Amino acid sequence: MMNLTIVGTGYVGLVTGVCFAEFGYSVTCIDKDTERLEKLKSGTCPFFEPGMDKLLDKHINKTKLLSFASSIKNNSENTDIFFITVGTPTRRLEDEADLSFVWQVADEISESIKKYCLVVTKSTVPVGTTSEVKKIISNKVDQKLFDVVSNPEFLREGSAIDDFIRPDRVVIGTDNKKSENIMKELYRPLFLKETPIVATSIETSEIIKYASNSFLATKIAFINEVADLCEVVGADVQQVAHAMGIDKRIGSKFLNAGPGFGGSCFPKDVKAFASTAKKKNIDLSIINAVNKSNQDRIIKISNKISSKLKNNSTITFLGLSFKPNTDDVRDSTSMKIASNLFDQGFKVQCYDPEAMSNSKKENSNLVFFNSAYEACEGSSAIIIGTEWNEFRALNFEKISKILKEKIIFDLRNIYIPKDLKEMGYEYYGTGK
Ligand code: UGA
């Protein structure tokens, strides 16, 4: 049985750990944050992700394949594969990824290598990082005792476990056959399910991750700009996207127009990709335009909303997480727009099914309520920022009685305009 050590218990690290335990491997997850570790040891996931609590409980208490520790040293003697899954935030004032945690972990791993093992970068890291990790470890460890591998992760928050267990593909970047074969053995349970395993060089693998995220972000920014045009000429962006998507060369996914892309990955990754390229004198002009288009969108949408409303009125913001099924508000477009509207003088009454506590930490000026209906009391407009299922069939008869004015901004296009207009609402969607 393989022994795995996963360093960093953020989204990628924890999901990777839990899912490899599900495959039957013995997994130790390392994190320096002792408060987080105590929570994890008791089976509590530090973030909301469907299915995580159940798998944590199963592998901590029943199979006992999953354990937690605060240091690599003394807890990784038998490790066959180390995974580096620490955060790579954007450096303040610059667009490039801050890799200081990665370097630190590489150095700590080098103190603990006693037998042959692999060191895998799974965090999203710019091209060249994995070979830099190799250099750091070689300072202290004989090159025969380890190999480095790039193995990017493609899971999405909100469907992370399913994405890990049923991925479209697994990408393995190595510089020799031995490590490639070990990685293929690791992913054998997926290979049996006919998941394509793409074996490449280390640099190619690193680029695949950024190119994939940047391409998806490009699709979103593209359809959002088309939506702006649709609004002006009276066309419907949803029908445009639907018809475009039927063409197999285009594909229907990630063509939902909305308030822009957010989250801990796309905004950061498009910046880091362009910044890495710039250092090599390559201008990723499309990616730069995508980044600008998405940043400008926040102001554009905020102004569109405020231009339709009376100054200083009370408004309702439904959905604060950057997408449904997560409590994550990092780079959330909903949070940015809600905060912008507050700054413009509106009183913003908010509700989110899971992200209230994270939202409060980010902006305590917003007023938080325990349900969508309570947040609508006395309000002059409803803004749907995130398409949670519970907002898809709101009881508008009930809401109509408690609103001051019947105006709705359906930023994610989850309602049929005609239905709401018939109930007397002034309806604004995105791109229609
Ligand atoms: C994204 C990628 O989808 C994953 O494949 C990748 O592994 C992950 O980043 C990562 O690099 O770790 P995630 O950030 O969890 O996953 O969320 P997405 O579902 O991709 O959504 C990102 C943003 O785009 C959200 O704000 C979402 O609302 C927005 N979006 C998405 C749209 O506005 N329209 C769409 O059609 C799709």
Side-chain angles (χ1 to χ4, degrees):
M1 182 174 57
M2 284 202 203
N3 292 306
L4 313 179
T5 295
I6 294 174
V7 191
T9 62
Y11 245 101
V12 172
L14 205 52
V15 174
T16 302
V18 161
C19 292
F20 276 140
E22 186 73 0
F23 289 176
Y25 302 127
S26 169
V27 179
T28 308
C29 290
I30 311 278
D31 205 299
K32 285 208 159 76
D33 181 340
T34 43
E35 202 182 310
R36 193 177 182 90
L37 268 194
E38 286 317 308
K39 260 193 178 174
L40 283 167
K41 281 181 187 166
S42 71
T44 313
C45 187
F47 46 81
F48 173 76
E49 178 64 39
M52 276 297 279
D53 284 337
K54 207 168 128 216
L55 285 187
L56 274 175
D57 176 53
K58 178 175 169 191
H59 295 298
I60 295 170
N61 301 315
K62 298 188 186 92
T63 67
K64 304 205 185 304
L65 286 170
L66 187 62
S67 60
F68 296 93
S70 60
S71 70
I72 301 172
K73 221 177 178 160
N74 305 325
N75 290 298
S76 57
E77 294 77 18
N78 297 318
T79 301
D80 299 300
I81 309 181
F82 286 95
F83 286 90
I84 302 180
T85 56
V86 289
T88 54
T90 305
R91 265 181 206 280
R92 265 178 180 279
L93 308 176
E94 292 162 55
D95 283 344
E96 61 188 61
D98 179 353
L99 297 170
S100 49
F101 297 122
V102 175
W103 309 143
Q104 208 176 315
V105 170
D107 190 54
E108 283 173 40
I109 289 175
S110 69
E111 303 276 343
S112 297
I113 297 179
K114 301 280 180 291
K115 65 169 194 88
Y116 178 80
C117 63
L118 298 185
V119 180
V120 179
T121 51
K122 209 176 212 343
S123 310
T124 302
V125 289
V127 59
T129 304
T130 309
S131 80
E132 198 56 40
V133 165
K134 184 173 181 172
K135 272 193 214 145
I136 293 176
I137 301 178
S138 334
N139 287 336
K140 291 183 185 152
V141 183
D142 184 341
Q143 289 224 3
K144 287 194 204 75
L145 273 187
F146 77 99
D147 277 307
V148 292
V149 174
S150 158
N151 172 219
E153 184 47 60
F154 298 97
L155 59 83
R156 288 163 302 173
E157 293 187 18
S159 54
I161 294 168
D162 203 55
D163 285 349
F164 192 96
I165 293 179
R166 274 173 278 276
D168 287 339
R169 78 308 207 180
V170 170
V171 176
I172 296 169
T174 62
D175 56 8
N176 62 54
K177 216 51 201 171
K178 182 179 176 188
S179 45
E180 181 186 317
N181 288 338
I182 297 171
M183 290 302 287
K184 282 186 172 163
E185 182 56 27
L186 174 76
Y187 281 107
R188 206 164 53 92
L190 293 184
F191 190 62
L192 294 176
K193 288 192 222 159
E194 297 183 351
T195 303
I197 310 265
V198 183
T200 69
S201 75
I202 289 173
E203 288 70 24
T204 304
S205 165
E206 289 172 332
I207 294 272
I208 288 170
K209 172 67 192 186
Y210 276 101
S212 301
N213 272 7
S214 299
F215 188 78
L216 291 170
T218 304
K219 268 186 114 173
I220 301 168
F222 176 86
I223 202 68
N224 283 342
E225 291 196 355
V226 173
D228 291 343
L229 177 62
C230 286
E231 259 172 48
V232 176
V233 299
D236 181 334
V237 77
Q238 275 180 304
Q239 287 180 2
V240 172
H242 172 67
M244 281 172 68
I246 293 170
D247 184 331
K248 289 191 187 65
R249 294 169 302 174
I250 298 173
S252 59
K253 305 228 171 101
F254 280 66
L255 282 181
N256 295 315
F261 56 80
S264 66
C265 303
F266 286 176
K268 162 172 84 75
D269 292 352
V270 291
K271 285 185 211 150
F273 197 30
S275 155
T276 308
K278 196 174 166 199
K279 279 196 201 152
K280 307 282 175 197
N281 291 323
I282 299 295
D283 179 18
L284 292 185
S285 64
I286 294 174
I287 303 306
N288 283 321
V290 166
N291 181 33
K292 183 172 183 309
S293 167
N294 198 58
Q295 281 177 347
D296 292 350
R297 194 154 186 81
I298 302 290
I299 309 290
K300 214 185 262 179
I301 302 247
S302 307
N303 291 346
K304 173 179 145 183
I305 295 171
S306 57
S307 71
K308 312 273 188 230
L309 302 175
K310 292 189 196 84
N311 287 345
N312 305 324
S313 43
T314 298
I315 57 175
T316 302
F317 211 102
L318 300 181
L320 299 165
S321 55
F322 82 96
K323 66 176 202 175
N325 294 324
T326 178
D327 61 356
D328 199 340
V329 296
R330 284 176 290 175
D331 257 317
S332 158
T333 47
S334 290
M335 280 304 286
K336 287 183 185 165
I337 295 168
S339 302
N340 249 326
L341 291 168
F342 171 83
D343 293 341
Q344 290 186 32
F346 293 96
K347 182 184 173 208
V348 190
Q349 305 192 153
C350 300
Y351 169 72
D352 186 281
E354 294 291 340
M356 301 270 266
S357 107
N358 285 339
S359 311
K360 277 180 203 166
K361 279 182 224 153
E362 194 143 302
N363 190 345
S364 57
N365 290 319
L366 308 176
V367 191
F368 296 90
F369 290 84
N370 289 324
S371 75
Y373 299 100
E374 284 172 49
C376 286
E377 196 78 54
S379 169
S380 292
I382 300 173
I383 299 143
I384 299 177
T386 313
E387 69 280 31
W388 283 91
N389 274 341
E390 71 171 77
F391 302 147
R392 287 176 187 272
L394 290 168
N395 181 343
F396 277 100
E397 270 177 30
K398 186 171 162 185
I399 289 178
S400 298
K401 290 186 191 130
I402 53 178
L403 284 177
K404 203 167 153 204
E405 280 169 281
K406 287 160 65 174
I407 305 176
I408 182 160
F409 296 89
D410 178 11
L411 302 185
R412 301 281 185 169
N413 290 334
I414 60 176
Y415 283 99
I416 299 167
K418 187 170 145 276
D419 293 351
L420 285 162
K421 283 179 187 162
E422 274 171 12
M423 278 189 271
Y425 279 84
E426 198 176 310
Y427 175 94
Y428 300 99
T430 295
K432 47 179 23 192

